[in-house]
Amino acid sequence: MCSVCGCNEGETRIEGHIGSQRDSHHHFHRYPHDHLDTRHTDKHTRHTGKSSLQSGIEPAGVEAPGLNQNGIVLIEQHILSRNEGYAAQNRQLFADQRVLTLNLVSSPGSGKTTLLTTTIEGLINTVPVAVIEGDQETANDADRIRATGAAAIQINTGRGCHLDAHMIGHALAGLRLEKGGVLFIENVGNLVCPASFSLGENHKVVILSVTEGEDKPVKYPDMFAVSDLMILSKIDLLPYVDFEVERCVEYARRVNPDIAVIQLSAVTGEGLDDWTRWIHARRVTTNEKLPGR
């Protein structure tokens, strides 16, 4: 079991890899004790108002046979540090290709894939789009993405509960990125673990549907603290659910005062123009920050 997030070991499978589409690399969680080295640890500090949440610094808050809290913290630091090394490689690749990379995160059932297919249909004629899909099992979502005409690679994490940068690096080997395009990474449905693992993306975008509780930002603060944008999805259902939008936004800005908020419905199209404008603006900003511009 992973001391960082508690997920179980599982065999990661990535489409396009030889050998029954099984990836030959090991998930980081399989050997956390190997060659512990915390000299270059990414402390992954996340500011939430007046307080600070730091993975790998505070007591781990979990138990593992034969390890005290300090030992578990060292393992957490090691895992996150190794992940950041792979994330840096991905980040450089995205920068070289001038690709805006968005890591879409949410709990299951928020409407990520429906929003993604609708978004792609609005972008694909003017912007090169590619997608990496993360799920524990099945290629259903990748098939839905490919039906839009966009290239997509499916990663199945087995019992793993999030994507990590090493998985993304392997998936990129089978995915052609066009310069100036957009790469969407649809993470495994989970509001906890993906907050700690950078994939090399430019922005995390957290999606919260109005069919969920408006207090999700304070119940799962780490995810909202590290996200640059919160999308409130399924707003066409607001007349039928007990969800206070203003309170949800207040909660989100309590943990992250700088988080942007877009309300939309992938069914009616309301708010989709705001989302598209946000994407185009980030493409421009991302390119302006690159060397030689």
Side-chain angles (χ1 to χ4, degrees):
M1 180 174 289
C2 171
S3 68
V4 174
C5 65
C7 74
N8 289 314
E9 297 174 3
E11 184 179 39
T12 301
R13 301 182 303 280
I14 301 177
E15 286 184 324
H17 282 249
I18 298 173
S20 302
Q21 297 183 341
R22 280 170 168 74
D23 183 17
S24 61
H25 83 275
H26 291 291
H27 193 290
F28 295 135
H29 302 167
R30 290 192 172 189
Y31 44 90
H33 301 284
D34 293 351
H35 309 297
L36 291 179
D37 183 352
T38 60
R39 290 174 296 176
H40 305 290
T41 297
D42 173 20
K43 295 179 180 178
H44 201 77
T45 303
R46 299 179 298 280
H47 296 286
T48 57
K50 296 180 180 179
S51 64
S52 176
L53 303 175
Q54 299 176 312
S55 293
I57 297 178
E58 299 170 352
V62 296
E63 296 181 0
L67 288 173
N68 59 23
Q69 289 291 292
N70 288 337
I72 294 173
V73 167
L74 285 175
I75 292 171
E76 290 182 1
Q77 291 179 336
H78 178 57
I79 292 171
L80 293 175
S81 179
R82 292 187 64 185
N83 183 78
E84 181 53 34
Y86 289 114
Q89 295 175 26
N90 296 343
R91 195 174 297 118
Q92 185 60 56
L93 174 62
F94 300 146
D96 291 343
Q97 293 296 106
R98 303 189 182 280
V99 169
L100 171 67
T101 304
L102 303 178
N103 182 2
L104 306 184
V105 293
S106 78
S107 57
S110 68
K112 281 199 307 297
T113 308
T114 299
L115 173 60
L116 189 49
T117 56
T118 304
T119 302
I120 292 169
E121 289 166 355
L123 291 176
I124 198 165
N125 291 327
T126 56
V127 178
V129 177
V131 177
I132 296 175
E133 275 289 339
D135 282 301
Q136 288 187 307
E137 296 295 345
T138 84
N140 294 347
D141 287 350
D143 290 339
R144 290 175 63 186
I145 297 300
R146 285 190 280 260
T148 68
I153 292 284
Q154 180 75 53
I155 299 177
N156 290 130
T157 61
R159 287 173 291 173
C161 58
H162 61 272
L163 297 176
D164 61 37
H166 198 190
M167 298 175 191
I168 297 301
H170 277 286
L172 289 171
L175 190 64
R176 183 170 177 266
L177 297 180
E178 296 188 41
K179 286 196 173 183
V182 178
L183 172 65
F184 295 99
I185 301 174
E186 184 175 353
N187 219 310
V188 177
N190 184 350
L191 279 177
V192 181
C193 314
S196 295
F197 288 82
S198 171
L199 308 179
E201 72 272 17
N202 297 105
H203 304 281
K204 279 187 175 68
V205 177
V206 61
I207 301 167
L208 175 63
S209 72
V210 301
T211 57
E212 304 172 69
E214 68 261 0
D215 59 349
K216 282 287 181 71
V218 288
K219 292 174 73 174
Y220 302 94
D222 283 18
M223 182 59 76
F224 292 84
V226 298
S227 296
D228 295 308
L229 172 67
M230 177 177 73
I231 291 179
L232 286 179
S233 66
K234 304 185 183 182
I235 61 170
D236 54 299
L237 298 179
L238 278 172
Y240 313 105
V241 296
D242 183 15
F243 186 96
E244 295 185 34
V245 171
E246 291 184 0
R247 179 176 292 181
C248 181
V249 173
E250 190 277 323
Y251 283 148
R253 289 184 172 150
R254 185 183 299 179
V255 299
N256 182 354
D258 298 322
I259 196 168
V261 179
I262 293 176
Q263 302 177 46
L264 58 76
S265 167
V267 174
T268 67
E270 183 179 358
L272 285 176
D273 287 344
D274 294 334
W275 167 227
T276 302
R277 281 193 290 269
W278 188 91
I279 292 171
H280 284 304
R282 295 312 169 290
R283 286 182 66 222
V284 172
T285 302
T286 298
N287 279 305
E288 286 177 348
K289 290 180 178 178
L290 294 175
R293 297 289 293 196

